[in-house]
Coordinates of all heavy atoms in Angstrom, one line a residue:
M1 N 29.2 -29.5 -7.6 CA 28.6 -28.7 -8.7 C 28.1 -27.4 -8.0 O 27.3 -27.4 -7.1 CB 27.5 -29.4 -9.3 CG 27.0 -28.8 -10.5 SD 25.6 -29.7 -11.4 CE 25.3 -31.2 -10.6
T2 N 28.6 -26.2 -8.5 CA 28.2 -24.9 -8.0 C 27.5 -24.2 -9.1 O 27.8 -24.3 -10.3 CB 29.4 -24.1 -7.5 OG1 30.3 -23.9 -8.6 CG2 30.1 -24.7 -6.3
N3 N 26.5 -23.4 -8.7 CA 25.7 -22.6 -9.6 C 26.3 -21.2 -9.6 O 26.6 -20.7 -8.5 CB 24.2 -22.5 -9.3 CG 23.6 -23.8 -9.5 OD1 24.0 -24.6 -10.4 ND2 22.5 -24.1 -8.8
I4 N 26.4 -20.6 -10.7 CA 27.0 -19.2 -10.9 C 25.9 -18.4 -11.5 O 25.3 -18.7 -12.5 CB 28.2 -19.2 -11.7 CG1 29.3 -20.1 -11.1 CG2 28.8 -17.8 -11.9 CD1 30.5 -20.4 -12.0
S5 N 25.7 -17.2 -11.0 CA 24.8 -16.2 -11.6 C 25.6 -15.3 -12.5 O 26.6 -14.7 -12.1 CB 24.1 -15.4 -10.5 OG 23.2 -16.2 -9.8
I6 N 25.1 -15.1 -13.7 CA 25.7 -14.2 -14.6 C 24.7 -13.1 -15.0 O 23.5 -13.3 -15.0 CB 26.2 -14.9 -15.9 CG1 25.1 -15.6 -16.6 CG2 27.3 -15.9 -15.6 CD1 25.5 -16.1 -18.0
S7 N 25.3 -11.9 -15.2 CA 24.5 -10.8 -15.6 C 24.2 -10.8 -17.1 O 25.1 -10.9 -17.9 CB 25.2 -9.5 -15.2 OG 24.5 -8.4 -15.7
L8 N 22.9 -10.6 -17.4 CA 22.6 -10.4 -18.8 C 22.4 -8.9 -19.2 O 21.9 -8.6 -20.3 CB 21.3 -11.2 -19.1 CG 21.4 -12.7 -18.9 CD1 20.1 -13.4 -19.2 CD2 22.5 -13.4 -19.7
G9 N 22.6 -8.1 -18.3 CA 22.6 -6.6 -18.5 C 21.3 -6.0 -17.9 O 20.5 -6.6 -17.3
P10 N 21.3 -4.7 -18.0 CA 20.2 -3.9 -17.4 C 18.9 -4.1 -18.1 O 18.9 -4.2 -19.3 CB 20.7 -2.5 -17.4 CG 21.6 -2.4 -18.5 CD 22.3 -3.8 -18.6
V11 N 17.8 -4.0 -17.4 CA 16.4 -4.1 -17.9 C 15.6 -3.0 -17.3 O 15.8 -2.6 -16.1 CB 15.7 -5.4 -17.8 CG1 16.3 -6.5 -18.7 CG2 15.8 -5.9 -16.3
Q12 N 14.7 -2.4 -18.0 CA 13.9 -1.3 -17.4 C 12.5 -1.3 -18.1 O 12.4 -1.8 -19.2 CB 14.6 0.0 -17.5 CG 14.8 0.5 -18.9 CD 15.5 1.9 -19.0 OE1 16.0 2.4 -17.9 NE2 15.6 2.4 -20.1
A13 N 11.6 -0.7 -17.5 CA 10.2 -0.5 -18.0 C 9.8 0.9 -17.6 O 10.0 1.4 -16.5 CB 9.3 -1.5 -17.5
Y14 N 9.1 1.6 -18.5 CA 8.5 2.9 -18.2 C 7.0 2.8 -18.6 O 6.7 2.5 -19.7 CB 9.2 4.0 -19.1 CG 8.5 5.3 -19.0 CD1 8.8 6.2 -17.9 CD2 7.6 5.8 -19.9 CE1 8.2 7.4 -17.8 CE2 7.0 7.0 -19.9 CZ 7.3 7.8 -18.8 OH 6.7 9.0 -18.7
L15 N 6.2 3.2 -17.6 CA 4.7 3.2 -17.8 C 4.2 4.6 -17.5 O 4.7 5.2 -16.5 CB 4.0 2.1 -17.0 CG 4.5 0.7 -17.1 CD1 3.8 -0.2 -16.1 CD2 4.3 0.1 -18.5
S16 N 3.2 5.0 -18.2 CA 2.6 6.3 -17.9 C 1.1 6.2 -18.2 O 0.6 5.4 -19.0 CB 3.2 7.5 -18.6 OG 3.0 7.4 -20.0
G17 N 0.3 7.1 -17.5 CA -1.1 7.2 -17.7 C -1.6 8.5 -17.2 O -1.0 9.2 -16.5
V18 N -2.8 8.8 -17.7 CA -3.5 10.1 -17.4 C -4.9 9.8 -17.0 O -5.6 9.0 -17.6 CB -3.5 11.0 -18.6 CG1 -4.2 12.3 -18.3 CG2 -2.1 11.3 -19.0
A19 N -5.4 10.5 -15.9 CA -6.8 10.3 -15.5 C -7.3 11.7 -15.0 O -6.6 12.5 -14.4 CB -6.9 9.3 -14.3
R20 N -8.6 11.9 -15.3 CA -9.2 13.2 -14.9 C -9.5 13.1 -13.4 O -10.0 12.0 -12.9 CB -10.5 13.4 -15.7 CG -11.1 14.8 -15.5 CD -12.3 15.0 -16.4 NE -11.9 14.9 -17.8 CZ -11.5 15.9 -18.5 NH1 -11.4 17.1 -18.0 NH2 -11.2 15.7 -19.8
A21 N -9.3 14.1 -12.7 CA -9.5 14.2 -11.2 C -11.0 14.0 -10.9 O -11.9 14.3 -11.7 CB -9.0 15.5 -10.6
D22 N -11.3 13.5 -9.7 CA -12.7 13.4 -9.3 C -13.2 14.8 -8.9 O -12.5 15.8 -9.0 CB -12.9 12.3 -8.2 CG -12.1 12.6 -6.9 OD1 -11.7 13.8 -6.8 OD2 -12.0 11.7 -6.1
A23 N -14.4 14.8 -8.3 CA -15.0 16.1 -7.9 C -14.3 16.8 -6.8 O -14.3 18.0 -6.7 CB -16.5 15.8 -7.4
K24 N -13.5 16.1 -6.0 CA -12.7 16.7 -5.0 C -11.3 17.1 -5.5 O -10.5 17.6 -4.7 CB -12.6 15.7 -3.8 CG -13.9 15.4 -3.1 CD -13.6 14.5 -1.9 CE -14.9 14.1 -1.3 NZ -14.7 13.2 -0.2
G25 N -11.0 16.8 -6.7 CA -9.6 17.1 -7.3 C -8.6 16.0 -7.0 O -7.4 16.1 -7.3
E26 N -9.1 14.9 -6.4 CA -8.2 13.7 -6.1 C -8.0 12.8 -7.3 O -8.9 12.8 -8.2 CB -8.7 13.0 -4.9 CG -8.8 13.8 -3.6 CD -7.5 14.3 -3.1 OE1 -6.5 13.5 -3.2 OE2 -7.4 15.4 -2.7
M27 N -7.0 12.0 -7.3 CA -6.7 11.1 -8.3 C -7.6 9.8 -8.1 O -7.5 9.2 -7.1 CB -5.3 10.6 -8.4 CG -4.9 9.8 -9.5 SD -3.2 9.4 -9.7 CE -2.9 8.5 -8.2
P28 N -8.5 9.5 -9.0 CA -9.4 8.4 -8.9 C -8.7 7.1 -9.2 O -7.6 7.1 -9.8 CB -10.5 8.7 -9.9 CG -9.8 9.4 -11.0 CD -8.7 10.2 -10.3
S29 N -9.3 6.0 -8.8 CA -8.8 4.7 -9.2 C -9.1 4.5 -10.6 O -10.2 4.8 -11.1 CB -9.5 3.6 -8.4 OG -9.2 3.7 -7.0
S30 N -8.2 4.1 -11.4 CA -8.4 4.0 -12.9 C -7.5 2.9 -13.5 O -6.4 2.7 -13.0 CB -8.1 5.3 -13.5 OG -8.1 5.3 -14.9
V31 N -8.0 2.3 -14.5 CA -7.2 1.3 -15.2 C -6.1 2.0 -16.0 O -5.2 1.4 -16.5 CB -8.0 0.4 -16.1 CG1 -8.9 -0.5 -15.3 CG2 -8.8 1.2 -17.1
N32 N -6.3 3.3 -16.2 CA -5.3 4.1 -17.0 C -4.1 4.5 -16.2 O -3.1 5.0 -16.7 CB -5.9 5.4 -17.5 CG -7.0 5.1 -18.5 OD1 -7.0 4.1 -19.2 ND2 -8.0 6.0 -18.6
I33 N -4.1 4.3 -14.9 CA -3.0 4.7 -14.0 C -2.2 3.5 -13.7 O -2.6 2.6 -13.1 CB -3.6 5.3 -12.7 CG1 -4.5 6.5 -13.0 CG2 -2.5 5.7 -11.7 CD1 -3.8 7.7 -13.6
P34 N -0.9 3.5 -14.1 CA 0.0 2.4 -13.8 C 0.4 2.4 -12.3 O 0.4 3.4 -11.6 CB 1.2 2.7 -14.7 CG 1.2 4.2 -14.9 CD -0.2 4.6 -14.8
T35 N 0.8 1.2 -11.9 CA 1.3 1.0 -10.5 C 2.7 0.6 -10.5 O 3.2 0.1 -11.5 CB 0.4 0.0 -9.8 OG1 0.6 -1.3 -10.4 CG2 -1.0 0.3 -9.7
V36 N 3.4 0.7 -9.4 CA 4.8 0.2 -9.2 C 4.8 -1.3 -9.5 O 5.7 -1.9 -10.1 CB 5.4 0.5 -7.9 CG1 6.7 -0.2 -7.6 CG2 5.5 2.0 -7.7
Q37 N 3.8 -2.0 -9.0 CA 3.7 -3.5 -9.2 C 3.7 -3.8 -10.7 O 4.4 -4.8 -11.1 CB 2.5 -4.1 -8.5 CG 2.4 -5.6 -8.7 CD 1.2 -6.2 -8.0 OE1 0.5 -5.5 -7.2 NE2 1.0 -7.5 -8.2
E38 N 2.9 -3.1 -11.5 CA 2.8 -3.4 -12.9 C 4.2 -3.1 -13.6 O 4.6 -3.9 -14.5 CB 1.8 -2.5 -13.6 CG 0.4 -2.9 -13.2 CD -0.7 -1.9 -13.7 OE1 -0.4 -0.7 -13.8 OE2 -1.8 -2.3 -13.9
A39 N 4.9 -2.1 -13.1 CA 6.2 -1.7 -13.7 C 7.2 -2.8 -13.4 O 8.0 -3.2 -14.2 CB 6.7 -0.4 -13.3
T40 N 7.2 -3.3 -12.1 CA 8.2 -4.3 -11.8 C 7.9 -5.6 -12.5 O 8.8 -6.4 -12.8 CB 8.3 -4.5 -10.2 OG1 7.0 -4.8 -9.7 CG2 8.8 -3.2 -9.6
E41 N 6.6 -5.9 -12.7 CA 6.2 -7.1 -13.4 C 6.7 -7.0 -14.8 O 7.1 -8.0 -15.4 CB 4.7 -7.4 -13.3 CG 4.3 -7.9 -11.9 CD 2.8 -7.9 -11.8 OE1 2.0 -7.4 -12.7 OE2 2.3 -8.4 -10.7
A42 N 6.6 -5.8 -15.4 CA 7.0 -5.6 -16.8 C 8.6 -5.8 -16.9 O 9.0 -6.4 -17.9 CB 6.7 -4.2 -17.3
V43 N 9.3 -5.4 -15.9 CA 10.8 -5.6 -15.9 C 11.1 -7.1 -15.8 O 12.0 -7.6 -16.6 CB 11.4 -4.8 -14.7 CG1 12.9 -5.3 -14.5 CG2 11.4 -3.3 -15.0
D44 N 10.4 -7.8 -15.0 CA 10.6 -9.2 -14.9 C 10.3 -9.9 -16.2 O 11.0 -10.8 -16.6 CB 9.7 -9.8 -13.8 CG 10.1 -11.2 -13.4 OD1 11.3 -11.4 -13.1 OD2 9.2 -12.1 -13.4
R45 N 9.2 -9.5 -16.9 CA 8.9 -10.1 -18.2 C 10.0 -9.8 -19.3 O 10.4 -10.7 -20.0 CB 7.5 -9.6 -18.7 CG 6.4 -10.2 -18.0 CD 5.0 -9.9 -18.7 NE 4.8 -8.5 -18.9 CZ 4.2 -7.7 -18.1 NH1 3.7 -8.2 -16.9 NH2 4.0 -6.4 -18.3
V46 N 10.5 -8.6 -19.3 CA 11.6 -8.2 -20.2 C 12.8 -9.1 -19.9 O 13.4 -9.6 -20.8 CB 11.9 -6.7 -20.1 CG1 13.2 -6.4 -20.9 CG2 10.8 -5.9 -20.6
A47 N 13.1 -9.3 -18.7 CA 14.3 -10.1 -18.3 C 14.1 -11.5 -18.8 O 15.0 -12.2 -19.3 CB 14.5 -10.0 -16.8
K48 N 12.9 -12.1 -18.6 CA 12.7 -13.5 -19.0 C 12.7 -13.6 -20.5 O 13.2 -14.7 -21.0 CB 11.3 -14.0 -18.4 CG 11.4 -14.2 -16.9 CD 10.2 -14.7 -16.3 CE 10.5 -14.9 -14.8 NZ 9.3 -15.3 -14.1
V49 N 12.3 -12.6 -21.3 CA 12.4 -12.7 -22.7 C 13.9 -12.7 -23.1 O 14.3 -13.4 -24.1 CB 11.7 -11.4 -23.4 CG1 12.1 -11.2 -24.8 CG2 10.2 -11.5 -23.2
R50 N 14.8 -12.1 -22.3 CA 16.2 -12.1 -22.6 C 16.9 -13.4 -22.1 O 18.1 -13.6 -22.3 CB 16.9 -11.0 -21.9 CG 16.7 -9.6 -22.5 CD 17.6 -8.6 -21.8 NE 17.4 -7.3 -22.4 CZ 18.0 -6.3 -22.0 NH1 18.9 -6.4 -21.1 NH2 17.8 -5.1 -22.6
G51 N 16.1 -14.3 -21.5 CA 16.6 -15.6 -21.1 C 17.1 -15.6 -19.6 O 17.7 -16.5 -19.2
A52 N 16.7 -14.6 -18.8 CA 17.0 -14.5 -17.4 C 16.1 -15.4 -16.6 O 15.0 -15.7 -16.9 CB 17.0 -13.1 -16.9
D53 N 16.7 -15.8 -15.4 CA 15.8 -16.5 -14.4 C 15.2 -15.5 -13.5 O 14.2 -15.8 -12.8 CB 16.7 -17.4 -13.5 CG 17.4 -18.5 -14.4 OD1 16.8 -19.0 -15.3 OD2 18.6 -18.7 -14.1
G54 N 15.7 -14.3 -13.4 CA 15.1 -13.3 -12.5 C 15.8 -12.0 -12.6 O 16.7 -11.8 -13.5
V55 N 15.5 -11.0 -11.7 CA 16.1 -9.7 -11.7 C 16.7 -9.4 -10.4 O 16.1 -9.6 -9.3 CB 15.0 -8.6 -12.1 CG1 15.5 -7.2 -12.1 CG2 14.3 -9.0 -13.4
A56 N 17.9 -8.9 -10.4 CA 18.6 -8.5 -9.2 C 18.6 -6.9 -9.1 O 18.6 -6.2 -10.1 CB 20.0 -9.0 -9.2
G57 N 18.6 -6.4 -7.9 CA 18.7 -4.9 -7.7 C 17.5 -4.2 -8.3 O 17.7 -3.1 -8.9
M58 N 16.3 -4.7 -8.1 CA 15.1 -4.0 -8.6 C 14.9 -2.7 -7.9 O 15.0 -2.6 -6.7 CB 13.9 -4.9 -8.4 CG 12.6 -4.4 -8.9 SD 12.5 -4.6 -10.7 CE 12.1 -6.3 -10.9
G59 N 14.6 -1.7 -8.7 CA 14.3 -0.4 -8.1 C 13.2 0.2 -8.9 O 12.8 -0.2 -10.0
S60 N 12.6 1.3 -8.3 CA 11.4 1.9 -9.0 C 11.3 3.4 -8.6 O 11.8 3.8 -7.6 CB 10.1 1.2 -8.8 OG 9.8 1.3 -7.4
D61 N 10.6 4.1 -9.4 CA 10.3 5.5 -9.2 C 8.9 5.8 -9.6 O 8.5 5.4 -10.7 CB 11.3 6.4 -10.0 CG 11.1 7.9 -9.7 OD1 10.8 8.2 -8.5 OD2 11.3 8.7 -10.6
Y62 N 8.1 6.4 -8.7 CA 6.7 6.7 -9.0 C 6.5 8.2 -8.9 O 6.9 8.8 -7.9 CB 5.9 6.0 -7.9 CG 4.4 6.2 -8.1 CD1 3.6 5.4 -8.8 CD2 3.8 7.3 -7.5 CE1 2.2 5.6 -8.9 CE2 2.4 7.5 -7.6 CZ 1.6 6.6 -8.3 OH 0.3 6.8 -8.4
R63 N 6.0 8.8 -10.0 CA 5.7 10.2 -10.0 C 4.3 10.5 -10.3 O 3.8 10.0 -11.3 CB 6.7 10.9 -11.0 CG 8.1 10.8 -10.6 CD 9.0 11.4 -11.6 NE 10.4 11.0 -11.2 CZ 11.3 11.9 -11.1 NH1 11.1 13.2 -11.4 NH2 12.6 11.5 -10.8
R64 N 3.7 11.4 -9.5 CA 2.3 11.8 -9.8 C 2.3 13.3 -9.9 O 2.7 14.0 -9.1 CB 1.4 11.4 -8.6 CG 0.0 11.7 -8.8 CD -0.8 11.1 -7.7 NE -0.6 11.9 -6.5 CZ -1.3 11.8 -5.4 NH1 -2.3 10.9 -5.3 NH2 -1.0 12.6 -4.3
I65 N 1.7 13.8 -11.1 CA 1.8 15.2 -11.4 C 0.4 15.7 -11.7 O -0.3 15.1 -12.5 CB 2.7 15.4 -12.6 CG1 4.1 14.9 -12.4 CG2 2.7 16.9 -13.0 CD1 4.7 14.4 -13.7
A66 N 0.0 16.8 -11.0 CA -1.3 17.4 -11.2 C -1.2 18.4 -12.3 O -0.4 19.3 -12.2 CB -1.9 18.0 -10.0
L67 N -2.0 18.3 -13.4 CA -2.0 19.2 -14.5 C -3.3 20.0 -14.4 O -4.4 19.4 -14.7 CB -1.8 18.5 -15.8 CG -0.7 17.5 -15.9 CD1 -0.8 16.7 -17.2 CD2 0.6 18.3 -15.9
A68 N -3.3 21.3 -14.1 CA -4.5 22.0 -14.0 C -4.7 22.9 -15.3 O -3.8 23.5 -15.8 CB -4.4 23.0 -12.8
S69 N -5.9 22.9 -15.7 CA -6.3 23.7 -16.9 C -7.7 24.3 -16.6 O -8.7 23.6 -16.7 CB -6.3 22.8 -18.1 OG -6.8 23.6 -19.2
G70 N -7.7 25.5 -16.2 CA -9.0 26.1 -15.8 C -9.5 25.4 -14.5 O -8.8 25.3 -13.5
L71 N -10.7 24.9 -14.6 CA -11.3 24.3 -13.4 C -11.1 22.8 -13.4 O -11.4 22.1 -12.5 CB -12.8 24.6 -13.3 CG -13.2 26.0 -13.1 CD1 -14.7 26.2 -13.2 CD2 -12.6 26.6 -11.8
N72 N -10.5 22.3 -14.5 CA -10.3 20.8 -14.6 C -8.9 20.5 -14.1 O -7.9 21.1 -14.5 CB -10.4 20.4 -16.1 CG -11.8 20.6 -16.6 OD1 -12.8 20.5 -15.8 ND2 -11.9 21.0 -17.8
V73 N -8.8 19.4 -13.4 CA -7.5 18.8 -13.0 C -7.3 17.5 -13.6 O -8.2 16.6 -13.5 CB -7.4 18.8 -11.4 CG1 -6.1 18.1 -11.0 CG2 -7.5 20.1 -10.8
T74 N -6.2 17.2 -14.2 CA -5.8 15.9 -14.7 C -4.6 15.5 -14.0 O -3.7 16.2 -13.8 CB -5.6 16.0 -16.2 OG1 -6.8 16.6 -16.8 CG2 -5.3 14.7 -16.8
W75 N -4.6 14.2 -13.7 CA -3.4 13.6 -13.0 C -2.6 12.8 -14.0 O -3.2 12.0 -14.8 CB -3.8 12.7 -11.9 CG -4.3 13.4 -10.7 CD1 -5.6 13.6 -10.4 CD2 -3.5 14.0 -9.7 NE1 -5.7 14.4 -9.2 CE2 -4.4 14.6 -8.8 CE3 -2.2 14.1 -9.4 CZ2 -4.0 15.3 -7.6 CZ3 -1.7 14.8 -8.3 CH2 -2.7 15.4 -7.4
K76 N -1.3 13.0 -14.1 CA -0.4 12.2 -14.9 C 0.5 11.4 -14.0 O 1.0 12.0 -13.1 CB 0.5 13.1 -15.8 CG 1.4 12.3 -16.7 CD 2.2 13.1 -17.6 CE 3.1 12.2 -18.5 NZ 4.0 12.9 -19.3
V77 N 0.5 10.1 -14.2 CA 1.4 9.3 -13.4 C 2.4 8.6 -14.3 O 2.1 8.1 -15.4 CB 0.5 8.2 -12.7 CG1 1.4 7.2 -12.0 CG2 -0.5 8.8 -11.8
E78 N 3.7 8.7 -13.8 CA 4.8 8.0 -14.5 C 5.4 7.0 -13.5 O 5.7 7.4 -12.4 CB 5.8 9.0 -15.0 CG 5.3 10.1 -15.9 CD 6.3 11.2 -16.2 OE1 7.2 11.4 -15.4 OE2 6.1 11.8 -17.3
V79 N 5.7 5.8 -14.0 CA 6.3 4.8 -13.2 C 7.4 4.2 -14.0 O 7.3 3.8 -15.1 CB 5.3 3.7 -12.7 CG1 6.0 2.7 -11.8 CG2 4.1 4.3 -12.1
M80 N 8.6 4.2 -13.4 CA 9.8 3.5 -14.0 C 10.3 2.5 -13.0 O 10.4 2.7 -11.9 CB 10.8 4.5 -14.4 CG 12.0 3.9 -15.1 SD 13.0 5.2 -15.8 CE 14.1 4.3 -16.8
A81 N 10.7 1.3 -13.6 CA 11.3 0.3 -12.8 C 12.5 -0.2 -13.5 O 12.5 -0.2 -14.8 CB 10.3 -0.9 -12.5
W82 N 13.5 -0.7 -12.8 CA 14.7 -1.2 -13.4 C 15.4 -2.2 -12.6 O 15.0 -2.4 -11.4 CB 15.7 0.0 -13.6 CG 16.0 0.7 -12.3 CD1 17.1 0.3 -11.5 CD2 15.4 1.7 -11.7 NE1 17.0 1.1 -10.4 CE2 16.0 2.0 -10.5 CE3 14.3 2.5 -12.1 CZ2 15.6 3.0 -9.6 CZ3 13.9 3.5 -11.2 CH2 14.5 3.8 -10.0
G83 N 16.3 -2.9 -13.2 CA 17.1 -3.9 -12.5 C 18.1 -4.6 -13.4 O 18.3 -4.1 -14.5
T84 N 18.8 -5.6 -13.0 CA 19.7 -6.3 -13.8 C 19.2 -7.8 -14.0 O 18.9 -8.5 -13.1 CB 21.1 -6.4 -13.1 OG1 21.5 -5.1 -12.8 CG2 22.1 -7.1 -13.9
A85 N 19.1 -8.1 -15.3 CA 18.7 -9.5 -15.6 C 19.8 -10.5 -15.3 O 20.9 -10.3 -15.6 CB 18.3 -9.6 -17.1
M86 N 19.4 -11.5 -14.5 CA 20.4 -12.5 -14.1 C 20.0 -13.9 -14.5 O 18.8 -14.2 -14.5 CB 20.5 -12.5 -12.5 CG 20.9 -11.2 -11.9 SD 22.5 -10.6 -12.4 CE 23.5 -11.7 -11.5
R87 N 21.0 -14.7 -14.8 CA 20.8 -16.1 -15.2 C 21.7 -17.0 -14.4 O 22.9 -16.7 -14.3 CB 21.0 -16.3 -16.7 CG 20.7 -17.7 -17.1 CD 20.6 -17.9 -18.6 NE 20.3 -19.2 -18.9 CZ 20.4 -19.7 -20.1 NH1 20.9 -19.0 -21.1 NH2 20.1 -21.0 -20.3
T88 N 21.2 -18.1 -13.9 CA 22.0 -19.0 -13.1 C 22.5 -20.2 -14.1 O 21.7 -20.7 -14.8 CB 21.2 -19.6 -12.0 OG1 20.7 -18.6 -11.2 CG2 22.0 -20.6 -11.1
V89 N 23.8 -20.4 -14.0 CA 24.3 -21.5 -14.9 C 25.1 -22.4 -14.0 O 25.6 -22.1 -12.9 CB 25.2 -20.9 -16.0 CG1 24.5 -20.1 -17.0 CG2 26.4 -20.1 -15.4
D90 N 25.3 -23.7 -14.5 CA 26.1 -24.7 -13.8 C 27.5 -24.3 -13.9 O 28.0 -24.0 -15.0 CB 25.8 -26.0 -14.4 CG 26.5 -27.1 -13.8 OD1 27.0 -26.9 -12.7 OD2 26.6 -28.2 -14.4
G91 N 28.2 -24.3 -12.8 CA 29.6 -23.8 -12.8 C 30.6 -24.7 -13.4 O 31.7 -24.3 -13.8
E92 N 30.3 -26.0 -13.6 CA 31.2 -27.0 -14.2 C 31.4 -26.9 -15.7 O 32.5 -26.8 -16.2 CB 30.8 -28.4 -13.8 CG 31.0 -28.7 -12.3 CD 30.8 -30.2 -12.0 OE1 30.7 -31.0 -12.9 OE2 30.6 -30.4 -10.8
D93 N 30.3 -26.8 -16.4 CA 30.4 -26.8 -17.9 C 29.8 -25.6 -18.5 O 29.8 -25.4 -19.7 CB 29.9 -28.1 -18.5 CG 28.4 -28.2 -18.3 OD1 27.7 -27.3 -17.6 OD2 27.8 -29.2 -18.7
G94 N 29.2 -24.7 -17.7 CA 28.7 -23.4 -18.2 C 27.3 -23.6 -18.8 O 26.7 -22.6 -19.2
S95 N 26.7 -24.7 -18.8 CA 25.3 -24.9 -19.3 C 24.4 -24.8 -18.1 O 24.7 -25.1 -17.0 CB 25.2 -26.2 -20.0 OG 25.4 -27.3 -19.1
S96 N 23.1 -24.5 -18.4 CA 22.1 -24.4 -17.3 C 21.2 -25.6 -17.3 O 21.2 -26.4 -18.2 CB 21.2 -23.2 -17.5 OG 20.6 -23.1 -18.7

């Protein structure tokens, strides 16, 4: 009996958030700022909703952008993660 992995297609997640800069103009720790870990966990949840056992070829992109308006600085963070939803099936009869 061999197990075969089949692709259920691409999955992705996009998260974004905005936070006002601290007194030094740096990006503060904030619950409004998404992380790569949160984005990859979201991709895994999307894959499981589709019936997948996991995600293959996981990738991510993290972008931090400073938006200045007068003396105020606001940080915008965008995180995108993606991969391929995979399901393992029994190779003999196609059921899992």
Side-chain angles (χ1 to χ4, degrees):
M1 190 175 0
T2 57
N3 290 331
I4 300 170
S5 292
I6 58 171
S7 170
L8 300 178
V11 287
Q12 64 182 7
Y14 172 81
L15 307 175
S16 66
V18 177
R20 188 173 304 270
D22 63 14
K24 295 180 183 178
E26 298 296 320
M27 187 173 66
S29 297
S30 172
V31 295
N32 295 330
I33 301 297
T35 64
V36 170
Q37 180 180 353
E38 290 171 331
T40 56
E41 288 171 354
V43 167
D44 193 52
R45 285 192 304 271
V46 170
K48 288 183 178 173
V49 166
R50 288 190 179 180
D53 298 320
V55 179
M58 184 77 77
S60 64
D61 183 35
Y62 179 93
R63 296 176 189 232
R64 183 174 72 168
I65 305 154
L67 307 170
S69 174
L71 298 175
N72 297 325
V73 176
T74 303
W75 288 98
K76 179 177 181 184
V77 174
E78 300 174 335
V79 184
M80 184 169 191
W82 60 87
T84 303
M86 302 296 288
R87 182 167 184 198
T88 303
V89 296
D90 182 14
E92 289 185 15
D93 63 2
S95 63
S96 57

